[in-house]
């Protein structure tokens, strides 16, 4: 596995283009999307909700009742492959340049020589030379690179490279906190600070290099909003980062309480949480195995068969996530409450049992391959009818 592989996956992973992509084949994909939309396939509704900005908060019914044009379908297909528009996808295929070499780590795709020099100095941990370089080229700190074909890190500034997320080298220089401070002192803007905070808070490399919390502290001291990174950190199970963000003023809500397994706080927050927050809380509680919080949310009316919310592993259901992690008690509860074990995820067309197999969770896989013929609630209903 290449060290620069994408690390974060808090949105539905994009479908990577093949080595020699065909625009004709992609046009057929758009036409197939239209056919599946006409057939009212709920998996297609989820794809459209994720990848067409006009439908990001629409219900399945709203999506199916809306007229979808070929250009709408092409936009969704382009975004599903990590491109902001069909025109950008078309240019990538027909007129590729260095930045389009998706097999290269991001720093090797940079065409601007001064920006590339800044990234090289950052990677080398050379604080003084980076400081001098930014003094000579002060606009670099505000400049954005454009990377297409991925589900994040599409428009980063220099500061975001300090997070090593996506992974490029697999490590960070010992001076990375000082490096980040140099860039911040050079005038990195508010949005860049927030983006960097999100990347650091979800990053495996900063955590392994023991600089995740110092970088979070630094970015928050320079005005980054801790709330901007909380949800992503929770979705990635970066709980030290979550607690650090809360300490810097991040707001506790139902989904964060669910991710942390804080049952009493979740119970107190449930009555005032909106439907979106409850939906996300069920996803997180199922992912991390907090069966009592899952039970609480199901008792409150959450649907065990909904795909997870946009931006939260939305290609799968809570049962997929619980099965992958091997949370047998959560899996059984979801099935008992009516979760369907035949629903396939959107990307790989796998059932929850397939996900359990992929995760090496043999007990859960066996249960899902041969589940109870009826749930306890169905058995109770049947006995009442017989009596």
């Amino acid at each position: 596995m290449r060290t620069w592989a994408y690390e974060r996956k808090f949105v539905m992973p994009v479908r990577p283009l093949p080595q020699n992509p065909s625009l004709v084949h992609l046009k057929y994909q758009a036409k197939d999307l239209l056919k599946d939309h006409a057939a009212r396939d709920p998996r297609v509704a989820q794809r459209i909700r994720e990848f067409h900005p006009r439908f990001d908060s629409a219900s399945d019914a709203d999506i199916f009742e809306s007229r979808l044009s070929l250009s709408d379908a092409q936009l969704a297909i382009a975004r599903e492959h990590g491109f902001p528009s069909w025109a950008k996808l078309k240019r990538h295929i027909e007129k590729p340049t260095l930045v389009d070499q998706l097999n290269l780590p991001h720093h090797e795709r940079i065409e601007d020589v001064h920006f590339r020099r800044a990234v090289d100095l950052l990677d080398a941990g050379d604080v003084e030379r980076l400081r001098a370089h930014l003094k000579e080229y002060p606009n670099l700190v505000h400049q954005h690179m454009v990377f297409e074909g991925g589900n994040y890190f599409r428009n980063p500034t220099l500061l975001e490279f300090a997070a090593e997320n996506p992974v490029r080298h697999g490590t960070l220089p010992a001076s990375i906190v000082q490096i980040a401070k140099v860039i911040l002192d050079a005038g990195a803007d508010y949005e860049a600070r927030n983006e960097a905070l999100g990347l650091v808070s979800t990053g495996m490399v900063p955590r392994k290099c023991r600089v995740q919390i110092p970088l979070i502290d630094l970015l928050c001291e320079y005005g980054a909003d801790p709330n901007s990174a909380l949800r992503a950190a929770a979705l990635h199970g970066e709980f030290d980062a979550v607690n650090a963000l809360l300490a810097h003023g991040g707001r506790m809500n139902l989904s964060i309480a669910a991710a942390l397994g804080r049952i009493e706080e979740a119970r107190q927050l449930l009555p005032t949480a909106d439907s979106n927050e409850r939906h996300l809380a069920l996803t997180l509680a199922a992912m991390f195995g907090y069966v009592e919080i899952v039970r609480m949310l199901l008792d409150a009316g959450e649907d065990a068969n909904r795909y997870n919310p946009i931006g939260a592993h939305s290609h799968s259901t809570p049962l997929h996530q619980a099965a992958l992690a091997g949370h047998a008690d959560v899996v059984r509860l979801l099935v008992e409450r009516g979760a369907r074990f035949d629903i396939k995820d959107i990307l790989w067309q796998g059932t929850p049992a397939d996900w359990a197999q992929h995760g090496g969770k043999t007990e859960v896989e066996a249960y899902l391959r041969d589940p109870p013929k009826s749930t306890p609630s169905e058995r109770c209903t049947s006995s009442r009818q017989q009596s």
Side-chain angles (χ1 to χ4, degrees):
M1 184 178 195
R2 292 183 176 91
T3 58
W4 57 84
Y6 288 116
E7 180 182 331
R8 294 204 306 176
K9 52 186 184 298
F10 61 86
V11 297
M12 188 185 294
V14 299
R15 297 175 185 268
L17 289 170
Q19 188 171 0
N20 296 301
S22 163
L23 199 60
V24 172
H25 180 66
L26 290 164
K27 288 178 179 177
Y28 280 126
Q29 287 185 24
K31 291 177 181 178
D32 287 342
L33 188 72
L34 288 177
K35 291 177 184 176
D36 291 338
H37 173 261
R40 303 177 75 87
D41 185 334
R43 290 173 297 180
V44 167
Q46 185 75 342
R47 287 171 64 195
I48 292 170
R49 192 164 29 243
E50 178 82 45
F51 294 113
H52 196 302
R54 195 170 83 239
F55 297 101
D56 62 356
S57 58
S59 67
D60 284 12
D62 289 338
I63 290 171
F64 292 136
E65 289 168 8
S66 298
R67 180 182 176 277
L68 205 67
S69 67
L70 180 59
S71 61
D72 286 322
Q74 288 177 338
L75 174 61
I77 293 298
R79 289 168 65 91
E80 193 171 36
H81 287 285
F83 294 84
S85 69
W86 183 260
K88 294 287 182 68
L89 174 59
K90 187 172 183 288
R91 183 211 57 78
H92 169 84
I93 294 171
E94 295 179 342
K95 298 178 181 179
T97 63
L98 176 63
V99 76
D100 295 304
Q101 302 303 308
L102 303 183
N103 60 315
L104 296 176
H106 287 78
H107 60 283
E108 292 185 14
R109 295 163 59 190
I110 297 171
E111 296 174 318
D112 183 300
V113 293
H114 300 308
F115 197 99
R116 173 63 190 271
R117 175 62 175 161
V119 173
D120 288 344
L121 291 169
L122 180 156
D123 290 341
D126 195 329
V127 176
E128 294 309 319
R129 285 196 175 126
L130 178 61
R131 194 194 314 276
H133 188 65
L134 292 180
K135 186 175 181 180
E136 184 176 1
Y137 302 102
N139 289 331
L140 283 180
V141 76
H142 306 295
Q143 190 173 338
H144 290 261
M145 292 294 99
V146 176
F147 297 117
E148 294 168 343
N151 67 337
Y152 75 108
F153 209 71
R154 291 173 174 169
N155 197 29
T157 64
L158 180 62
L159 182 62
E160 284 128 273
F161 281 84
E164 184 63 12
N165 182 10
V167 179
R168 299 178 294 112
H169 300 291
T171 189
L172 283 163
S175 59
I176 192 61
V177 176
Q178 295 97 311
I179 288 282
K181 189 175 186 303
V182 166
I183 301 170
L184 288 163
D185 287 338
D189 63 28
Y190 179 68
E191 187 60 32
R193 283 173 265 157
N194 286 341
E195 287 293 326
L197 183 64
L199 293 168
V200 167
S201 298
T202 58
M204 172 185 67
V205 175
R207 171 170 41 81
K208 287 188 173 181
C209 291
R210 300 183 179 182
V211 293
Q212 186 180 59
I213 304 308
L215 283 170
I216 288 173
D217 291 342
L218 177 69
L219 289 162
C220 288
E221 287 165 9
Y222 273 76
D225 179 5
N227 292 296
S228 69
L230 257 178
R231 170 174 156 160
L235 279 163
H236 284 78
E238 294 288 348
F239 298 125
D240 287 343
V242 169
N243 286 317
L245 293 166
L246 290 171
H248 279 284
R251 293 186 299 274
M252 175 64 71
N253 56 31
L254 178 62
S255 61
I256 301 303
L260 295 173
R262 298 185 183 180
I263 297 173
E264 290 308 315
E265 285 180 87
R267 184 173 286 112
Q268 293 169 11
L269 291 162
L270 178 59
T272 57
D274 63 21
S275 61
N276 293 329
E277 191 65 27
R278 293 181 180 206
H279 189 190
L280 178 58
L282 179 60
T283 298
L284 288 162
M287 281 178 61
F288 299 120
Y290 296 116
V291 66
E292 291 307 318
I293 297 179
V294 171
R295 191 188 314 278
M296 184 191 313
L297 289 160
L298 294 173
D299 288 344
E302 281 305 299
D303 182 355
N305 287 312
R306 287 175 75 187
Y307 283 106
N308 295 323
I310 299 304
H313 309 291
S314 59
H315 54 299
S316 61
T317 67
L319 185 56
H320 283 92
Q321 294 293 332
L324 177 67
H327 300 311
D329 50 353
V330 173
V331 167
R332 290 190 175 89
L333 175 62
L334 288 168
V335 171
E336 287 170 3
R337 294 298 189 89
R340 289 174 49 191
F341 37 83
D342 61 338
I343 292 179
K344 295 181 178 180
D345 78 271
I346 292 169
L347 281 178
W348 299 287
Q349 304 301 308
T351 64
D354 296 331
W355 279 47
Q357 180 183 32
H358 179 73
K361 306 301 188 269
T362 54
E363 177 190 346
V364 170
E365 181 195 356
Y367 172 79
L368 290 169
R369 298 288 185 205
D370 187 23
K373 302 306 179 186
S374 62
T375 66
S377 60
E378 289 171 339
R379 290 195 289 272
C380 290
T381 300
S382 176
S383 66
R384 283 197 299 270
Q385 289 172 345
Q386 291 172 3
S387 62

